[in-house]
Amino acid sequence: MFEVFKKELTELLRDKKTLLFVIALPVLIFPVIFGTLGYFMAQAHLDAEQEVHNYFIIGDKNAKGFSESVFYHKNFKLKDDLKLNSRQELKDAVTNELIDLGIYISSQQVSNDKNTIKIEVIYNNSSRVNYITEKINKIFAEYKILVQYKNLKKLGVIKQQEQEFILSPIELELIDSSNARESFGEKIGILLPYLLIPIVLTGASYPAIDLGAGEKERGTLETLLLTPITRTQLVIGKFITILTASLATSLITVFSLGSWMFIAKQFISISFILDAIELIGTLDLLLILLLLIPLACIFSSVVLAISIYAKTFKEAQNYMGPLSILTFFPLAISMMPNMELNLKTALIPIVNISLAIRELLKGTVEYNHVYLIIGSTSIIAMISILFCIKWFNKEEVLFR
């Protein structure tokens, strides 16, 4: 069995394609991908913040302060070369992309000296990702306070303390009881399983394709079957090789991200992240690793069984695609609102590990749930390994 493992591992290390996915991909490509993605997201946000929106306003005299605030705002430019006279014309102009937003201000008389003002903002929400509404809401809130103070003076409430008492009779203060670790763990705990779990699968898939379908295609599987070892030992040897590659890929990925984060610290301020990471205990990190080991066993046995079944390398690759998609489905479930780690979710494969990683990073986990997950996942791992062994012993599978 260990001779098979030694032989397969040696061949695996000689394969440049496998080394690319097991070592080069986690060390270089993934950090570059995430770094590039982060850069473009930040750049897109900056561009959206600095973008100047063309607008047209009707009824500006009804709310002079508001219209002047919009006019002098750095992100708005009056399109004064248009001739629009109605709400519908404003809407058509926005639809036809002649302007980014139209403002229609109307005034209705309530009594002899009292008017109510209605401000309508027409814009295309699908193309501006709410940046327009954020800016308009801020302008409106400031203008609304000024109008409220002005109306109070008209009603005879002149003293500033009385005005503030009427406008702000109740004060709301939000106090966050979470510490730095909980805040960090909640945010990174959602993303980390999306990185680690697919990496565990990816690290197992490519070696498995080569050790199963690749052996078939090269015609070397028959030679292995003639050696004086049982098929069970042969399967376990291949399985351990795939498991080693899977876990190595995961560990290299985490080490790589940590190294790149340390390098980034020299150029940008991310000390609050590192301070939060330092709060994570060694036991919690070891438990995250223990959670991934039985999952890696499941993935390794499943992809090996698929690879043994496939006739060719290409056919095995075609089978791996749907398996990757199925992996993301439970990950998506774990991100749903109100999904918490409890006795029920602790028994749902992949969902339980994703939730447990988040709770471990936050420091709010119940360790009994973690031990339950490790136990139940280990049972599934044993069943999948036994299935793989039985699968390998079928002639119709090996020589189909």
Side-chain angles (χ1 to χ4, degrees):
M1 181 177 69
F2 290 104
E3 288 298 321
V4 175
F5 168 67
K6 184 179 177 181
K7 171 236 176 224
E8 299 291 8
L9 189 61
T10 304
E11 291 183 357
L12 204 62
L13 294 173
R14 290 174 182 170
D15 186 8
K16 293 181 180 179
K17 187 183 293 185
T18 303
L19 288 177
L20 173 68
F21 286 104
V22 174
I23 298 176
L25 198 69
V27 171
L28 296 174
I29 297 178
F30 280 111
V32 169
I33 289 173
F34 285 111
T36 305
L37 182 62
Y39 169 78
F40 280 111
M41 287 178 66
Q43 192 63 42
H45 178 76
L46 182 63
D47 292 343
E49 282 289 333
Q50 295 177 346
E51 185 179 3
V52 177
H53 308 286
N54 293 319
Y55 78 96
F56 192 88
I57 188 168
I58 297 175
D60 55 313
K61 293 180 181 179
N62 294 321
K64 220 170 185 182
F66 178 81
S67 57
E68 286 178 357
S69 297
V70 176
F71 180 80
Y72 289 111
H73 196 282
K74 65 177 182 177
N75 294 111
F76 295 106
K77 182 181 179 182
L78 180 63
K79 192 81 171 174
D80 52 6
D81 57 340
L82 295 176
K83 292 183 179 180
L84 305 174
N85 301 304
S86 66
R87 185 191 292 105
Q88 186 59 45
E89 289 179 356
L90 278 176
K91 188 175 181 180
D92 293 339
V94 172
T95 303
N96 297 325
E97 297 184 355
L98 297 176
I99 54 176
D100 295 321
L101 74 156
I103 302 173
Y104 187 86
I105 305 175
S106 58
S107 176
Q108 185 178 358
Q109 190 171 6
V110 179
S111 61
N112 293 332
D113 58 343
K114 297 183 180 68
N115 295 330
T116 58
I117 299 169
K118 183 179 181 181
I119 301 174
E120 298 175 61
V121 179
I122 303 167
Y123 69 105
N124 187 343
N125 189 38
S126 64
S127 62
R128 298 298 171 195
V129 202
N130 281 331
Y131 283 104
I132 287 178
T133 55
E134 288 178 9
K135 294 161 187 171
I136 287 292
N137 282 332
K138 186 176 180 181
I139 295 171
F140 174 76
E142 292 172 355
Y143 174 69
K144 184 180 178 181
I145 291 173
L146 293 175
V147 173
Q148 286 173 332
Y149 278 114
K150 185 179 178 181
N151 290 341
L152 285 174
K153 285 183 179 179
K154 286 182 180 180
L155 295 171
V157 183
I158 299 173
K159 293 182 179 180
Q160 186 177 352
Q161 289 182 344
E162 293 177 350
Q163 291 175 346
E164 290 177 356
F165 175 74
I166 293 171
L167 294 176
S168 304
I170 302 173
E171 183 179 348
L172 175 66
E173 183 180 1
L174 300 176
I175 301 174
D176 187 3
S177 63
S178 64
N179 54 35
R181 177 176 174 180
E182 286 183 42
S183 180
F184 169 78
E186 180 64 30
K187 295 176 179 66
I188 201 68
I190 294 176
L191 298 175
L192 192 61
Y194 259 91
L195 173 66
L196 283 178
I197 293 175
I199 283 292
V200 172
L201 177 59
T202 303
S205 297
Y206 288 96
I209 293 172
D210 185 67
L211 297 183
E215 294 265 21
K216 278 187 177 182
E217 207 165 31
R218 291 191 299 269
T220 56
L221 183 61
E222 290 83 352
T223 307
L224 279 175
L225 293 172
L226 292 173
T227 55
I229 57 174
T230 64
R231 290 192 181 183
T232 299
Q233 291 175 321
L234 186 59
V235 175
I236 293 176
K238 288 180 177 291
F239 166 78
I240 295 174
T241 306
I242 297 167
L243 178 62
T244 302
S246 177
L247 293 175
T249 305
S250 305
L251 291 174
I252 291 171
T253 301
V254 174
F255 178 77
S256 173
L257 288 174
S259 301
W260 282 104
M261 187 177 288
F262 177 78
I263 295 170
K265 183 189 175 185
Q266 312 306 316
F267 303 97
I268 57 176
S269 179
I270 55 171
S271 57
F272 70 96
I273 294 178
L274 294 176
D275 292 342
I277 292 175
E278 288 176 359
L279 295 173
I280 301 173
T282 305
L283 175 62
D284 295 329
L285 293 174
L286 288 174
L287 286 174
I288 291 174
L289 179 61
L290 285 175
L291 285 167
L292 292 176
I293 289 175
L295 181 65
C297 291
I298 294 171
F299 284 154
S300 298
S301 56
V302 169
V303 294
L304 180 58
I306 291 172
S307 182
I308 291 168
Y309 177 78
K311 292 180 181 178
T312 62
F313 196 95
K314 187 176 181 180
E315 184 182 346
Q317 285 182 317
N318 292 335
Y319 292 144
M320 297 300 175
L323 181 62
S324 301
I325 295 171
L326 288 173
T327 304
F328 280 102
F329 179 70
L331 284 173
I333 293 176
S334 67
M335 290 185 66
M336 290 182 177
N338 300 323
M339 283 297 293
E340 297 180 355
L341 185 61
N342 50 45
L343 288 175
K344 185 186 291 184
T345 55
L347 298 174
I348 305 174
I350 300 180
V351 172
N352 51 11
I353 294 174
S354 179
L355 293 174
I357 290 174
R358 186 174 68 186
E359 294 297 321
L360 283 166
L361 291 174
K362 288 172 61 178
T364 57
V365 71
E366 288 190 26
Y367 288 102
N368 289 334
H369 290 157
V370 178
Y371 302 142
L372 176 62
I373 293 169
I374 293 173
S376 62
T377 311
S378 298
I379 292 171
I380 297 172
M382 287 298 299
I383 293 171
S384 59
I385 293 169
L386 292 173
F387 170 77
C388 188
I389 293 170
K390 186 177 180 180
W391 193 246
F392 195 87
N393 280 279
K394 291 186 176 182
E395 297 291 331
E396 60 270 25
V397 172
L398 286 180
F399 303 107
R400 56 185 286 270

